[in-house]
Amino acid sequence: MADHASRAPKSGFNMPGAAYDRRLTIAHVAVIVVGAAILLANAFQTSVWYDETYSVAIAWHPFDEIWRIGGADVHPVLYYLALHVIYLIFGSNIIAYRIFSVIGSIVLSLLGLTHVRRDAGQKTAIVYSLFAYFLPWSVRIAFQVRMYSWLAVALMLVAIYAWRIVKSAKESAGKGRAPIRAHWWIVMFVCSLACAYLHYYGAVAAFVTQAVVIVSLVKYRAGGRAIAIWAACAVVAVVCYLPWLRVAAAQASVVSNGDYWIKFAYSGTTAELIMFPFNAPELEHVTMRVFMAAALVITLTTVTTGLCIASVYSYGKARGAEGPREDAKGKRGLLLRSPATFALTIAGLTTFVAMLVSMLLGNAFLYYRYLTVFIGPLAMAMAYVFTRTADKRVGYVTTALCLACGGVAYFGAFESSHSQDNAIALQKYEDMCEQARELNGGKEPLVIGDDVYANAIPAVSNVGCDIVYIPEWENSAYEAYEPRFIRGKTYEDVLGGYKGALLLLCNEETAEKVASEFGGTLLTHDYAFHEYSGRFFEYSILMFE
């Protein structure tokens, strides 16, 4: 009887001649378990930066309020609804929220064992699982109290099943109906809908992927039944998204006239897109903390990017040596030749569509951070190429350098999140609140802030007093921070007739201006650096007699 380890898996998508090797399977499981432990080691900390504060704040509202308040934000609400479920179980627990994100990264890596090895072989799958954990941007999204790790999982599943459908249609071209399994359609469309409800860039990526699928079904004459199933699933998905489409349209009208999106700077943004996924902010943290490390980190990321390009060239040589491949019509099927080219096709087309959307909105919908939606397909494409280079040494060295970049990013993430400066900054705020309270005769002082980025962090960290925020512009999305974060209108509205101690969370120049205009006295000014957010917290105590 043949050994079970030597039998090929029951899938038509394993690499030709490949078989499951028991030792490689054990190694793969070890990679997933050890990687999960490493990521979880950095999950037990409560430091947050501004984007994370919004997730924490909106999660403590009921489901209907999340839907309403989230409609004023720039992202869909599925992730916030999921966080509220966690809130109902654990309370407003930043560690629980962060572990939820880490679980998303673990699932993303686990797809290497459960899915990628069927489509690309075991060695590719192991490298994919490593990259899903330890590419620099993989490291970043793993710890963020944001939607990105689960968005990456959803889009990866869309890409996997889209690839299987397209490949089945291509291999069956001219042979009758393509053997497409029912659960492929279900998973692809359910995950496409999840992408759309998690992030608008995810919605664009899912739309582009579905467009590639239907074009391929028509091109390879997959049969009327397959096309009808795709159309039916598409209709159901659109109907399920209709409740949010009205909100999305309203958001688009707002962001097209406002400053919600990051501005597009062609030189800087182009460089950021090219360097992705090696330009995570955690690498910048290391260069700022250790000056001598700057040159090393810059050299490491640049060399790694260059070697990735060299690996693609080496992979091309290896494929060229095999001779051109022909599709069903006798033409080269370059874009759909492998899972790697399919993934890169989706990423490229989505980026192109994002540029068009940016032009329509008049703002930069295309931003390198949003490319994290492709971290799964990109990790798989990189693993596929690096394990198939003509010169194996190129693949090995490039893989090692990619993981080295991820290691540096992990170090930066761990150091910044566990820095004592984070606790000192919040303690400084609490001390200033107590000092203002004493000056106020033991009564709660008025606390005003005009820097939403710095003010939101103590507001969700449950330290100090409630804050009255004076916004630069009216934004109803900030209702998420209530009741810890009370929205005011102007200094005149809030300070009119106020007597007593006032704690201002703003720069010293603004504090002096407020004291001068409203007849107060600036008693003290202090500041502290919050390393995880990269923000200085400035505090001023004023007295109004």
Side-chain angles (χ1 to χ4, degrees), residues 153-301:
V153 171
L155 197 278
M156 184 60 182
L157 285 168
V158 172
I160 286 171
Y161 285 99
W163 163 250
R164 291 183 178 183
I165 290 170
V166 168
K167 185 172 175 62
S168 179
K170 182 179 178 182
E171 291 181 342
S172 302
K175 302 176 184 177
R177 192 172 71 186
I180 301 172
R181 299 177 184 178
H183 76 275
W184 295 359
W185 296 109
I186 295 171
V187 174
M188 183 178 70
F189 275 96
V190 168
C191 290
S192 292
L193 189 61
C195 286
Y197 268 111
L198 283 166
H199 198 285
Y200 290 125
Y201 210 92
V204 174
F207 171 81
V208 168
T209 306
Q210 297 293 352
V212 171
V213 169
I214 187 58
V215 169
S216 300
L217 292 176
V218 173
K219 175 183 177 182
Y220 296 118
R221 293 173 293 178
R225 182 174 182 272
I227 294 173
I229 292 174
W230 181 92
C233 291
V235 169
V236 171
V238 170
V239 170
C240 290
Y241 199 59
L242 280 177
W244 189 255
L245 277 179
R246 238 176 108 182
V247 179
Q251 287 179 332
S253 66
V254 172
V255 300
S256 62
N257 296 311
D259 296 319
Y260 282 60
W261 299 108
I262 300 91
K263 298 299 182 184
F264 189 96
Y266 283 96
S267 57
T269 304
T270 301
E272 289 169 339
L273 294 174
I274 292 173
M275 293 295 291
F276 186 87
F278 304 111
N279 53 348
E282 285 72 15
L283 289 166
E284 297 174 11
H285 168 80
V286 174
T287 63
M288 287 188 294
R289 290 281 293 182
V290 186
F291 177 75
M292 292 300 293
L296 294 176
V297 171
I298 293 171
T299 300
L300 176 63
T301 54

Side-chain angles (χ1 to χ4, degrees), residues 50 74 197 426 475:
Y50 172 66
V74 295
Y197 268 111
L426 293 176
N475 186 350

Side-chain angles (χ1 to χ4, degrees), residues 306-320 385 389-390 394:
L307 275 175
C308 287
I309 297 172
S311 295
V312 172
Y313 173 76
S314 181
Y315 167 75
K317 284 182 63 177
R319 304 300 283 177
V385 170
T389 55
V394 174

